[in-house]
């Protein structure tokens, strides 16, 4: 048994119960919410170490939940599949249960929740959300708003590979209809600023999948 508390925000009862069963079996404390508004209410009134969030929620979708959540918390979020058919979602979870649990363990092992509401620290990168500033090894990095938002999403989800679709939805919005390569373009912008003068690269490309920032 451990003290890590996880909130599942998922409207499909079968999916939610399966997730809860797997996580409780692993020793986690689990709470559930069946829609985005209820999920945000729980997040405002209790402390959680991790959120498992479905994108296709009634009333308030997962992207909007993330946006509102970031106004008061930097709790890590793992996005669940966006497929809308319950059998597909459950089958997908069943097939990828080990991967999902591995991602949960990454967040909860070794007490790695050292960030605060206003500050994210990963390796030598420090992001201060109150001052809207970023430093690498003490050197301030000037970023545009979109560059900042993209880096924030990668830092919050450190050690988790995020697809281009997830990054577009999280940074540009669910309704974005612009260029498909916008993520790749902004990743290049970030790399040119973050890696200048440093041997170690901040952002790793996972070919055919997406991008990740690896950290301890």
């Amino acid at each position: 048994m451990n003290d890590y508390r996880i909130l599942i925000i998922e409207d499909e009862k079968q999916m939610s119960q399966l997730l809860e069963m797997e996580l409780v079996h692993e020793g986690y404390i689990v709470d559930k919410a069946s829609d985005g508004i209820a999920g945000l209410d729980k997040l405002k009134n209790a402390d959680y170490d991790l959120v498992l969030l479905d994108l296709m929620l009634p009333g308030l979708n997962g992207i909007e939940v993330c946006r509102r959540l970031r106004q008061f918390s930097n709790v890590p979020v793992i996005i669940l599949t966006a497929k809308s058919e319950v059998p597909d979602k459950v089958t997908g979870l069943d097939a990828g249960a080990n991967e999902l649990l591995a991602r949960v363990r990454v967040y909860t092992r070794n007490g790695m929740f050292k960030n605060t509401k206003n500050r994210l620290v990963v390796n030598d990168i420090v992001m201060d959300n109150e001052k809207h500033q970023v430093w690498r090894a003490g050197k301030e990095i000037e970023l545009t708003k979109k560059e900042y938002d993209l880096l924030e999403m990668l830092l919050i989800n450190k050690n988790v590979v995020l697809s281009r679709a997830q990054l577009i939805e999280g940074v540009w919005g669910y309704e974005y209809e612009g260029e498909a390569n916008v993520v790749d373009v902004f990743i290049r912008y970030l790399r040119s600023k973050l890696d200048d003068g440093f041997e170690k690269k901040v952002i790793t490309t996972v070919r055919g999948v997406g991008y990740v920032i690896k950290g301890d």
Side-chain angles (χ1 to χ4, degrees):
M1 185 70 180
N2 57 58
D3 295 326
Y4 290 107
R5 193 172 181 183
I6 298 174
L7 175 64
I8 301 168
I9 307 178
E10 166 62 67
D11 63 312
E12 299 293 353
K13 187 175 180 180
Q14 187 179 0
M15 178 76 162
S16 182
Q17 288 178 336
L18 180 56
L19 281 168
E20 181 183 29
M21 179 180 67
E22 293 286 349
L23 292 169
V24 169
H25 180 72
E26 290 282 314
Y28 298 106
I29 300 168
V30 178
D31 286 339
K32 296 184 295 182
S34 59
D35 61 68
I37 294 174
L40 279 173
D41 186 59
K42 284 181 177 292
L43 287 160
K44 288 177 180 177
N45 290 287
D47 292 325
Y48 292 95
D49 298 300
L50 183 64
V51 178
L52 302 185
L53 176 65
D54 183 27
L55 294 180
M56 307 297 287
L57 293 168
L60 200 65
N61 67 43
I63 297 302
E64 185 60 26
V65 170
C66 272
R67 287 178 178 164
R68 297 189 188 187
L69 173 61
R70 290 300 167 237
Q71 294 175 10
F72 61 88
S73 173
N74 276 324
V75 59
V77 175
I78 292 179
I79 301 295
L80 301 173
T81 177
K83 288 185 177 181
S84 60
E85 295 298 324
V86 180
D88 286 344
K89 292 174 73 173
V90 173
T91 299
L93 173 64
D94 195 42
N98 289 336
E99 178 185 354
L100 175 62
L101 290 172
R103 291 169 67 186
V104 170
R105 292 187 197 107
V106 164
Y107 283 111
T108 57
R109 71 180 178 221
N110 300 326
M112 65 185 291
F113 298 102
K114 297 177 182 177
N115 300 313
T116 66
K117 172 184 175 181
N118 294 320
R119 177 166 290 210
L120 288 166
V121 181
V122 179
N123 303 324
D124 59 354
I125 300 288
V126 177
M127 172 177 279
D128 190 313
N129 285 324
E130 187 173 8
K131 298 178 180 179
H132 209 76
Q133 291 177 299
V134 174
W135 298 267
R136 181 171 186 190
K139 174 186 174 183
E140 185 172 357
I141 310 294
E142 294 188 7
L143 302 177
T144 66
K145 184 180 186 306
K146 289 300 183 189
E147 290 167 352
Y148 187 97
D149 291 346
L150 180 58
L151 178 61
E152 181 183 26
M153 189 167 179
L154 289 166
L155 290 173
I156 289 170
N157 293 281
K158 69 177 180 180
N159 295 316
V160 176
V161 181
L162 297 176
S163 69
R164 289 168 178 82
Q166 287 174 319
L167 290 168
I168 285 176
E169 290 169 357
V171 176
W172 283 268
Y174 194 70
E175 303 297 328
Y176 176 79
E177 295 181 351
E179 296 294 328
N181 69 337
V182 64
V183 171
D184 301 320
V185 170
F186 274 81
I187 289 290
R188 286 200 298 272
Y189 293 161
L190 275 178
R191 282 173 167 161
S192 69
K193 295 180 178 184
L194 293 171
D195 295 339
D196 184 33
F198 295 92
E199 182 177 350
K200 185 177 179 180
K201 308 307 178 186
V202 173
I203 302 170
T204 299
T205 301
V206 179
R207 190 175 298 276
V209 183
Y211 299 99
V212 61
I213 290 180
K214 298 178 180 179
D216 299 324

